[in-house]
Amino acid sequence: MLHRFAADISSICPPRQFTWPFHYEPHALSRLAAAEVEAYLRSREDWAAEVALGKMFGVLVVRDADGELGFLAAFSGNLAGTNQHEYFVPPVYDMLRPDDFFRQEEAEISAINRDIEELTHSEKYTNAKQEVEYIKQKATSELSAFKSTLAERKAARASRRQQDEDAATLILESQRDNADLQRLKKSLNEQVKRSEQRFAELQAEISALKQERQQRSAALQMRLFSQFRMLNARGEVKDLCELFAPTTQRIPPAGAGECAAPKLLQYAYLNSLTPIAMAEFWQGTSPRGEVRHHGTFYPSCNGKCKPILMFMMQGLDVEPNPLTAIAPPEPTILWEDEWLVAIDKPCGMLSVEGKSGVRSVERWAHEHYPNATGPMIIHRLDQSTSGILLLAKDKNTHQALQQQFITRQVEKRYTALLEGVIDRPTGCIDLAMKLDYENRPRQMVATNGKRAITEYKVLAVEESRTRILFRPITGRTHQLRLHSAHAQGLNAPIVGDDIYGHECHADLCDGHRLCLHASMLEFTHPHTAQRIKIESKADF
């Protein structure tokens, strides 16, 4: 499993600290290792079709007991129907073994699925369902016909009453008709109930099977998660159930522990190899709705991997999170009066307070305006996005301006630099979006997501890049970033985008910044009714 570098690495200095896997720039050794894995994948023509569909791979640079450097390779999930391949590290737990409890219980659950399918499509179930509909329609028809007959009798009695026929006789006939109607209703209702009861018994049988399937699946998942006993550099062990218990989701998501990064660290610890650097990279086409680029390095996922890796890295000397390691510069005030202040938010500064401790505009605002009342932050910009941010000094102003944002009365423009040349000078992108829950804060294109609309205008083409002006009609999280990068959008990521772009960078706003800037904001002043326009020039 341990591979020696084919290239001469004597001139490459190993990193002083282990990779922070959630935001990094791959070390030269990691890049070399990834290149060797890519070359190996190209040699496996039997895997070509599957890899072309898209898969995440990972490399871990390690030092052995003799101090020699090498690397390990892994893939996420399984490959060619198995977890075991000679070139790659094995899974933390191989649930695909034929004799494994997972396979056996999975077979039982599959048998329940077949029973549900057979019952749902059985002649007995179909006939019972059709019988309910038939008897209901028949009852409705009979009742309607009988009511018509009664109406005719009633009209005839009215005519007879005008001819002075005996009133007692007419009343008795009317009472008999009402009694007959009630008896018919009762008889028809009993017929419907009997047919519904027969159908309900079959439905209950199917529901019981579905409940059993759900219970067995949940129990199987938890038993499986308990088999993933993860190690860290201190030799401590915790299973996935323990690692996810303190999180908001509490239960491990499906596929937890099967990504490349946990596999690599687990194998290194089991074989007395010291982790030096790590990187994960995508091979093949992008999954539907997501943005993944062939050969591009990506950070480890938050949903499945962060709770696991945060434990597994304990005992290693890990790089500080680059998003929190460098303090961003202070905002610049662009415009101000007694009710409002507009600032130029620097790249790297959070809009509101977060768990990371990175300085935020919210904190800055309360420091500079201690007498302000109510929440000051009206709208937000991503940490990596720079530009105009509007703040309110009192609650009423905040509410009035926030309502303008909600009702889309605020005009916004963003300047961006894209990777690639955009042929159309103007256009509109209309792609619905939703959160990629396992890879927060990544978003993905989805038909069942929220509608997101972006208008754009090309400003200039600068060599192989395009300077563009965006007018977002809606304000979804990462809207401009996803609309730029996605194949159904402009298919040209914003320069420096470490989430949807072609490269993973650690030095935020230090030569590798996200080239997205909120350059214009226009709104109606809630107190003077004047239309206020504020502009800021991008520094890229």
Side-chain angles (χ1 to χ4, degrees), residues 8 15 89 106 116 152 160 183 186 226-227 259 298 308 320 329 373 386 410 478 500 504 532 540:
D8 180 12
V89 300
E106 191 178 45
I116 292 171
E152 291 172 1
R160 289 159 59 193
R183 279 193 292 272
K186 183 179 180 181
S226 69
Q227 306 304 310
C259 293
Y298 287 96
I308 301 172
T373 60
S386 59
V410 178
H478 288 188
Y500 306 100
C504 184
I532 307 295
F540 50 81

Side-chain angles (χ1 to χ4, degrees), residues 333 335-342 365-366 368-378 390-398 401 527:
I333 295 175
W335 183 92
E336 184 175 10
D337 67 8
E338 60 184 293
W339 299 286
L340 295 165
V341 57
H366 287 298
H368 283 72
Y369 302 95
N371 296 323
T373 60
M376 296 188 70
I377 306 297
I378 301 167
L390 196 59
L391 312 176
K393 296 181 181 180
D394 63 81
K395 184 177 179 181
N396 291 335
T397 303
H398 180 274
L401 278 169
H527 298 283

Side-chain angles (χ1 to χ4, degrees), residues 261-303:
K263 289 182 182 180
L264 291 165
L265 287 175
Q266 186 83 351
Y267 184 86
Y269 295 146
L270 287 172
N271 292 274
S272 302
L273 300 169
T274 303
I276 302 299
M278 185 165 62
E280 292 178 281
F281 57 97
W282 185 260
Q283 293 285 286
T285 57
S286 180
R288 185 178 179 182
E290 295 183 48
V291 177
R292 300 284 189 187
H293 303 284
H294 178 75
T296 298
F297 291 94
Y298 287 96
S300 296
C301 61
N302 286 316

Side-chain angles (χ1 to χ4, degrees), residues 144-198:
S144 178
F146 190 68
K147 283 182 177 179
S148 295
T149 300
L150 293 184
E152 291 172 1
R153 291 181 186 175
K154 184 176 181 180
R157 282 195 298 273
S159 177
R160 289 159 59 193
R161 189 175 290 109
Q162 290 178 355
Q163 297 173 11
D164 296 328
E165 190 167 334
D166 181 50
T169 300
L170 295 173
I171 291 170
L172 186 61
E173 287 181 10
S174 177
Q175 289 173 341
R176 279 199 299 266
D177 283 354
N178 285 333
D180 289 343
L181 177 62
Q182 296 309 314
R183 279 193 292 272
L184 179 61
K185 283 183 177 179
K186 183 179 180 181
S187 173
L188 294 174
N189 284 337
E190 287 174 351
Q191 291 178 45
V192 170
K193 284 182 179 179
R194 283 195 297 272
S195 67
E196 287 179 332
Q197 179 62 33
R198 287 191 291 271

Side-chain angles (χ1 to χ4, degrees), residues 434-482:
K434 71 176 183 179
L435 175 65
D436 184 352
Y437 291 98
E438 293 181 353
N439 295 287
R440 296 171 185 265
R442 288 181 67 95
Q443 307 290 313
M444 59 191 296
V445 170
T447 54
N448 63 342
K450 293 182 178 179
R451 192 178 184 190
I453 306 170
T454 304
E455 294 179 350
Y456 68 87
K457 178 183 179 181
V458 172
L459 299 176
V461 174
E462 304 168 5
E463 296 181 352
S464 61
R465 293 175 171 179
T466 301
R467 186 170 294 271
I468 200 165
L469 189 69
F470 285 123
R471 177 178 178 254
I473 307 302
T474 54
R476 311 297 178 208
T477 301
H478 288 188
Q479 177 176 318
L480 301 181
R481 299 171 75 166
L482 185 60

Side-chain angles (χ1 to χ4, degrees), residues 1-3 33-34 36-38 40-41 57-62 70-76 85-90 260-261 263-264 267 279 281:
M1 302 298 178
L2 178 60
H3 306 286
E36 292 198 22
V37 174
E38 287 182 316
Y40 174 75
L41 291 172
F57 291 83
V59 290
L60 178 67
V61 180
V62 295
F71 69 91
L72 306 173
F75 51 83
S76 292
H85 291 287
E86 187 176 291
Y87 187 87
F88 299 101
V89 300
K263 289 182 182 180
L264 291 165
Y267 184 86
F281 57 97

